[in-house]
């Protein structure tokens, strides 16, 4: 669940309108974080200096809107967003399976319900919504 949460947080930082309202658009880029998607894009673009150059620049100054949008385009061209979403779906399925396996080992209560409602509620809250790209221009 920890891996799922962190990757989801990285994904939401760049894709969620609600996240942008709460924490700011693309705040991970401003903070110099190497998100899951950014690492994937770097691996996909090992010969390209453009992404590495932009990332070096962000350690020296705040990136402009245009520079952030360029990083996002590079990640999209590298299919990093799509890859991340697929990893999240796989992790959600893995968590669901593990939860069901765990629940099947727990003796049933008198009510006949041995489901872990707390974990189920947490995972329901964390499910990915429609991933619409946040625009920097408002």
């Amino acid at each position: 669940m920890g891996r799922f949460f962190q990757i989801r947080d990285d994904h939401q930082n760049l894709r969620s309108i609600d996240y942008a309202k709460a924490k700011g658009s693309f705040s991970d880029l401003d903070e110099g974080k190497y998100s899951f998607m950014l690492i994937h894009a770097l691996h996909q673009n090992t010969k390209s200096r453009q992404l590495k150059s932009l990332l070096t620049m962000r350690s020296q100054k705040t990136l402009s809107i245009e520079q952030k949008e360029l990083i996002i385009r590079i990640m999209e061209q590298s299919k990093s967003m799509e890859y991340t979403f697929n990893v999240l779906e796989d992790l959600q399925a893995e968590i669901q399976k593990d939860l069901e396996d765990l629940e099947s080992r727990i003796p049933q209560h008198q009510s006949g319900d041995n489901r872990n409602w707390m974990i189920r509620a947490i995972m329901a809250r964390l499910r990915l919504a429609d991933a619409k790209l946040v625009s920097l221009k408002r």
Side-chain angles (χ1 to χ4, degrees), residues 4 31 37 47 59 64 68 76 85 100 103-104 106 109 115 122 128:
F4 173 80
E31 294 168 9
M37 292 155 297
K47 294 179 182 161
S59 66
S64 69
K68 290 178 191 177
E76 287 174 342
F85 192 81
E100 289 169 2
E103 290 170 342
S104 71
I106 298 172
H109 299 290
R115 290 182 276 192
I122 290 168
L128 292 173

Side-chain angles (χ1 to χ4, degrees), residues 60-116:
Q60 299 163 359
K61 63 177 181 138
T62 303
L63 295 175
S64 69
I65 291 171
E66 292 78 18
Q67 290 167 323
K68 290 178 191 177
E69 287 178 339
L70 180 56
I71 291 172
I72 298 300
R73 277 197 303 278
I74 292 168
M75 285 195 281
E76 287 174 342
Q77 291 167 356
S78 303
K79 302 211 181 291
S80 297
M81 304 294 195
E82 183 179 326
Y83 174 77
T84 300
F85 192 81
N86 291 335
V87 166
L88 286 168
E89 287 183 321
D90 290 347
L91 285 171
Q92 275 183 189
E94 183 181 330
I95 292 166
Q96 181 66 31
K97 182 186 177 304
D98 289 348
L99 181 57
E100 289 169 2
D101 288 347
L102 178 66
E103 290 170 342
S104 71
R105 294 185 206 144
I106 298 172
Q108 286 201 338
H109 299 290
Q110 290 177 347
S111 66
D113 190 1
N114 61 346
R115 290 182 276 192
N116 187 325

Side-chain angles (χ1 to χ4, degrees), residues 17-74:
I17 293 169
D18 292 335
Y19 193 104
K21 288 178 187 173
K23 292 192 174 184
S25 297
F26 309 135
S27 61
D28 282 358
L29 292 177
D30 289 331
E31 294 168 9
K33 293 181 181 176
Y34 280 84
S35 67
F36 188 81
M37 292 155 297
L38 196 51
I39 292 168
H40 180 268
L42 284 166
H43 284 285
Q44 299 301 310
N45 293 285
T46 56
K47 294 179 182 161
S48 171
R49 295 182 192 263
Q50 187 176 33
L51 182 56
K52 290 176 188 172
S53 175
L54 286 165
L55 297 177
T56 301
M57 288 172 52
R58 75 181 181 166
S59 66
Q60 299 163 359
K61 63 177 181 138
T62 303
L63 295 175
S64 69
I65 291 171
E66 292 78 18
Q67 290 167 323
K68 290 178 191 177
E69 287 178 339
L70 180 56
I71 291 172
I72 298 300
R73 277 197 303 278
I74 292 168

